[in-house]
Amino acid sequence: MSLPVGWLGMRAAAALALLGVVCAGIVPARLVARGAATQSESAAPDEVRALWVLRTSLTTPAQIAALVQRARDYGFNTLLVQVRGRGDAYFRGGAEPAAPELLRQPADFDPLAAVVRSGHAAGLRVHAWVNVNLISSAADLPVARDHLIYRHPEWLMVPRDIAQELAGIEPGNPAFVGKLARWTRGQSSEVEGLYASPILTAAAASTEAIVRDLARRYALDGIHLDYARYPSDRFDYSRAAIRQFRASVIGSLPAATRRGLDARESEDLFAYPDALPDQWRSFRVAKMTALMQRLSAAVRSERPEAQVTVAVKPDAREALRDRLQDWGGWLRGDVVDAICPMAYTTDPARFAEQVAAARAIAGPKGVWAGIGAWRLSPAETLDNIRAARRLGAAGVILFSYDSLVDPRQAAPDYLSIIGRGAFTPPGFPVAGPR
């Protein structure tokens, strides 16, 4: 797919030229040189030094105490803690069911409150990490009967592959979720689970309420949004989403075209999307952007000082083409304060290319370079941190804390090596909360 230069605004023209160099497999030497001339390989005082922390590390007070202790001791200053992983809550008093692990803990144990309290006392910033659209595993369906997939199965995204079949099943029929889950299990290498649709008004309002509640009740330094995308461009072909698309375009169509499409639609669910492919794609992209705008506005109205960040596919063109994720537009529209490109490659040249391209598009906005440390040796992670600094990234995030402290997956002193090698030169202070 060829994308017009205007899709990311004036800043993106230079970025697209840079991406041409990237695609040729050449590190943008002039950009690296410019970064090296203005910024050393040492951490800047305001650098974000963060860990992505999975929800499985938040289930007991002892785990949280260990998390905060390690982060402080090894020179990290920011924790992104996953409190909505699969449509469940790793905090108390929310609208969604509490995670099963919390049911074994005392009723007054609130993982998010504990991290905020102890993290701030240790001089760490704490961001609540929220999975936006991904709301359930397909392999292990939720046990709680008040989970979203049971309360509102009509909100689930549907892939084109089985949309015609699912259109003949009422969402309230258990066969609907069952068929969708079975199909998704068969696509597990490509589709992570069941997703809620950003197109449906009620689903978007529900997600907004969750984010607003977090921002209102907890002294957070930020809200970090993940899975703010479609599983692929073959979603959402649900009846409800297509119905909304029809309503959005019908007023602009000639009467004869409308009558013809309505006649076809009685037998072909895809009549409108297939007849208007460009509008269909733009409609879905716009709905994802509208959801992001709602979430950002909710955070800023409840906690104006908090940052709004988003984990993104590192290549902007691929993110828009394949996941309908317009993160360049989110930056341009001030929807987010920083992007976190998930540059999980094991190739150091490719990592540098991805971070450089993201920096070119982001302009004055922050880029927190996501490093797939679980796939790398400590030395390779340190090299990526230095590369991100040379390229002018505002910070780095390691994925993930959990894997790096698991002796089955990483060296037992992995985080210590990173801390000594990258974050704690003599006299360098650990930044406190914003």
Side-chain angles (χ1 to χ4, degrees), residues 90-126:
Y90 283 76
F91 56 97
R92 295 291 185 177
E96 295 187 298
E101 292 85 352
L102 295 191
L103 301 180
R104 296 190 287 271
Q105 294 296 324
D108 61 351
F109 172 60
D110 183 326
L112 181 55
V115 177
V116 169
R117 181 173 59 253
S118 57
H120 283 176
L124 306 175
R125 296 187 287 264
V126 179

Side-chain angles (χ1 to χ4, degrees), residues 142-164:
V143 174
R145 300 311 298 178
D146 57 343
H147 191 278
L148 185 149
I149 71 164
Y150 305 124
R151 289 187 295 112
H152 292 289
E154 72 278 9
W155 293 355
L156 295 175
M157 279 203 235
V158 169
R160 182 184 177 104
D161 304 53
I162 57 170
Q164 296 276 22

Side-chain angles (χ1 to χ4, degrees), residues 126-129 219-224 299 303 305-309 434:
V126 179
H127 294 228
W129 167 12
L220 294 165
D221 299 291
I223 298 284
H224 177 66
V299 175
R303 196 164 296 276
E305 70 280 8
Q307 291 181 295
V308 178
T309 62
R434 281 160 43 91

Side-chain angles (χ1 to χ4, degrees), residues 75-403:
F76 292 88
N77 61 22
T78 305
L79 299 175
L80 279 60
V81 292
Q82 190 181 53
V83 296
R84 190 200 195 213
R86 297 293 185 272
D88 48 14
Y90 283 76
F91 56 97
R92 295 291 185 177
E96 295 187 298
E101 292 85 352
L102 295 191
L103 301 180
R104 296 190 287 271
Q105 294 296 324
D108 61 351
F109 172 60
D110 183 326
L112 181 55
V115 177
V116 169
R117 181 173 59 253
S118 57
H120 283 176
L124 306 175
R125 296 187 287 264
V126 179
H127 294 228
W129 167 12
V130 174
N131 284 351
V132 176
N133 292 333
L134 177 62
I135 51 88
S136 176
S137 164
D140 298 304
L141 295 180
V143 174
R145 300 311 298 178
D146 57 343
H147 191 278
L148 185 149
I149 71 164
Y150 305 124
R151 289 187 295 112
H152 292 289
E154 72 278 9
W155 293 355
L156 295 175
M157 279 203 235
V158 169
R160 182 184 177 104
D161 304 53
I162 57 170
Q164 296 276 22
E165 299 168 62
L166 287 177
I169 306 173
E170 287 302 316
N173 185 329
F176 181 92
V177 170
K179 186 173 187 62
L180 181 57
R182 286 191 299 275
W183 179 90
T184 305
R185 287 196 292 271
Q187 311 295 319
S188 60
S189 63
E190 301 294 332
V191 183
E192 299 90 338
L194 306 183
Y195 281 64
S197 178
I199 294 174
L200 306 184
T201 303
S206 175
T207 306
E208 178 193 343
I210 292 164
V211 169
R212 184 179 294 276
D213 176 55
L214 286 168
R216 178 188 298 129
R217 290 199 291 125
Y218 295 91
L220 294 165
D221 299 291
I223 298 284
H224 177 66
L225 304 172
D226 195 4
Y227 288 98
R229 59 183 187 261
Y230 295 73
S232 77
D233 66 346
R234 296 182 67 79
F235 289 75
D236 175 18
Y237 282 83
S238 66
R239 284 185 300 174
I242 292 174
R243 192 179 303 122
Q244 283 203 25
F245 174 63
R246 177 187 180 278
S248 75
V249 299
I250 196 169
S252 63
L253 298 178
T257 301
R258 185 172 65 248
R259 286 194 298 270
L261 289 176
D262 285 346
R264 283 173 49 195
E265 192 178 38
S266 63
E267 297 181 357
D268 180 7
L269 178 68
F270 308 141
Y272 274 86
D274 286 355
L276 305 164
D278 292 341
Q279 293 97 317
W280 172 235
R281 171 175 287 274
S282 296
F283 171 79
R284 288 178 292 160
V285 170
K287 287 295 185 179
M288 188 64 247
T289 292
L291 175 56
M292 286 293 295
Q293 290 169 334
R294 289 184 69 153
L295 302 183
S296 178
V299 175
R300 287 166 177 163
S301 66
E302 299 294 341
R303 196 164 296 276
E305 70 280 8
Q307 291 181 295
V308 178
T309 62
V310 60
V312 299
K313 294 295 182 179
D315 186 302
R317 293 170 66 96
E318 292 179 3
L320 181 57
R321 182 191 66 207
D322 300 338
R323 306 297 180 126
L324 310 179
Q325 181 188 63
D326 185 15
W327 58 257
W330 302 345
L331 288 165
R332 183 181 55 187
D334 293 326
V335 177
V336 298
D337 299 303
I339 57 164
C340 309
M342 297 177 287
Y344 294 162
T345 176
T346 58
D347 179 352
R350 181 61 177 153
F351 175 84
E353 292 161 2
Q354 290 178 331
V355 174
R359 282 282 296 114
I361 294 171
K365 293 296 180 89
V367 173
W368 302 357
I371 298 174
W374 93 98
R375 308 177 66 187
L376 305 172
S377 69
E380 290 169 326
T381 292
L382 287 170
D383 285 343
N384 279 359
I385 292 171
R386 295 179 189 118
R389 287 171 175 164
R390 288 194 301 269
L391 293 165
V396 294
I397 319 176
L398 304 191
F399 189 90
S400 66
Y401 164 80
D402 321 82
S403 62

